[in-house]
Amino acid sequence: MAKKNVNTFLIVFPVLIRLVSSRGTISFCSVLNKLTLLKLEIHMEVLKKKYTPYTESERMSYIREYLSTSETKSQFAKRTGICRRLLILWLDKYHINDKVMSTEQPSFRKGSDESLNELEKELAELRAENRKLQRALQEESLRHEACEELINLAESTYHIKVRKNSDAK
């Protein structure tokens, strides 16, 4: 048995066929192996998917949909029918990693920084207003308590009913 520049080969039957690969290496294999290889090549051609070019808007649509779900990349790829590796390549292309935007995209960060500053200002204003209203409530509670005490003193000292009688018509 002769073989040249081939690391491995199988012989099942003594009938051998000479094969020349695309790299120019020569090997021998049995008829059974040759039939198996041909059958496998035909099967692989059937299984091979044709490349579907996606437009920029389709890519962004898939990325937006992926980011809006709680699915993993694999789950999303299975559900939508796109390749998981293709999704990863798109996320890398647009500098998106694990559903978090990268800081390398200033156009995305600029808008969020401005809105974050606006929200922080609004929060500070609301906290100041809250403190002001709490002080006003405390003062009003003290004023109400003082009025109640004065009414109680007037009624006990002068034996006069100051409070309205809600049952009277």
Side-chain angles (χ1 to χ4, degrees):
M1 300 218 183
K3 88 173 181 174
K4 183 177 180 184
N5 297 329
V6 177
N7 293 334
T8 60
F9 68 96
L10 296 172
I11 299 178
V12 177
F13 291 104
V15 179
L16 299 178
I17 298 175
R18 183 174 177 225
L19 295 176
V20 178
S21 71
S22 60
R23 289 181 280 153
T25 58
I26 300 171
S27 64
F28 295 93
C29 69
S30 69
V31 173
L32 182 61
N33 283 346
K34 178 63 176 173
L35 292 174
T36 306
L37 288 173
L38 289 173
K39 184 179 177 183
L40 187 63
E41 285 177 15
I42 293 170
H43 184 66
M44 291 300 288
E45 287 297 320
V46 171
L47 291 179
K48 188 185 285 186
K49 292 183 179 178
K50 292 185 177 181
Y51 175 72
T52 306
Y54 293 96
T55 64
E56 189 78 19
S57 62
E58 288 174 322
R59 291 179 195 162
M60 292 307 292
S61 175
Y62 277 119
I63 289 173
R64 274 190 228 102
E65 185 179 349
Y66 165 70
L67 293 174
S68 67
T69 65
S70 61
E71 295 175 320
T72 64
K73 291 175 184 123
S74 297
Q75 292 170 337
F76 179 77
K78 283 180 185 176
R79 183 175 58 83
T80 57
I82 63 170
C83 178
R84 182 185 65 87
R85 186 66 194 138
L86 186 60
L87 178 62
I88 292 170
L89 289 173
W90 291 347
L91 292 173
D92 288 343
K93 178 181 179 180
Y94 298 108
H95 306 290
I96 301 169
N97 193 9
D98 291 334
K99 298 189 179 189
V100 177
M101 297 300 287
S102 173
T103 57
E104 294 176 325
Q105 288 287 332
S107 60
F108 293 122
R109 298 288 296 154
K110 185 178 179 182
S112 64
D113 284 345
E114 290 173 359
S115 63
L116 184 62
N117 288 338
E118 290 174 13
L119 289 173
E120 287 175 351
K121 286 179 185 177
E122 185 178 356
L123 179 63
E125 291 171 0
L126 289 172
R127 284 183 176 165
E129 184 180 3
N130 190 13
R131 283 191 298 272
K132 180 181 170 184
L133 291 172
Q134 284 178 344
R135 276 190 239 114
L137 179 63
Q138 285 177 341
E139 289 175 8
E140 196 58 41
S141 294
L142 285 173
R143 188 173 296 123
H144 178 71
E145 197 175 318
C147 286
E148 287 291 320
E149 191 60 36
L150 281 173
I151 290 170
N152 288 339
L153 270 172
E155 287 180 346
S156 65
T157 305
Y158 301 110
H159 305 289
I160 304 170
K161 290 211 171 213
V162 178
R163 289 189 177 86
K164 282 188 172 181
N165 187 358
S166 61
D167 293 336
K169 293 186 177 179

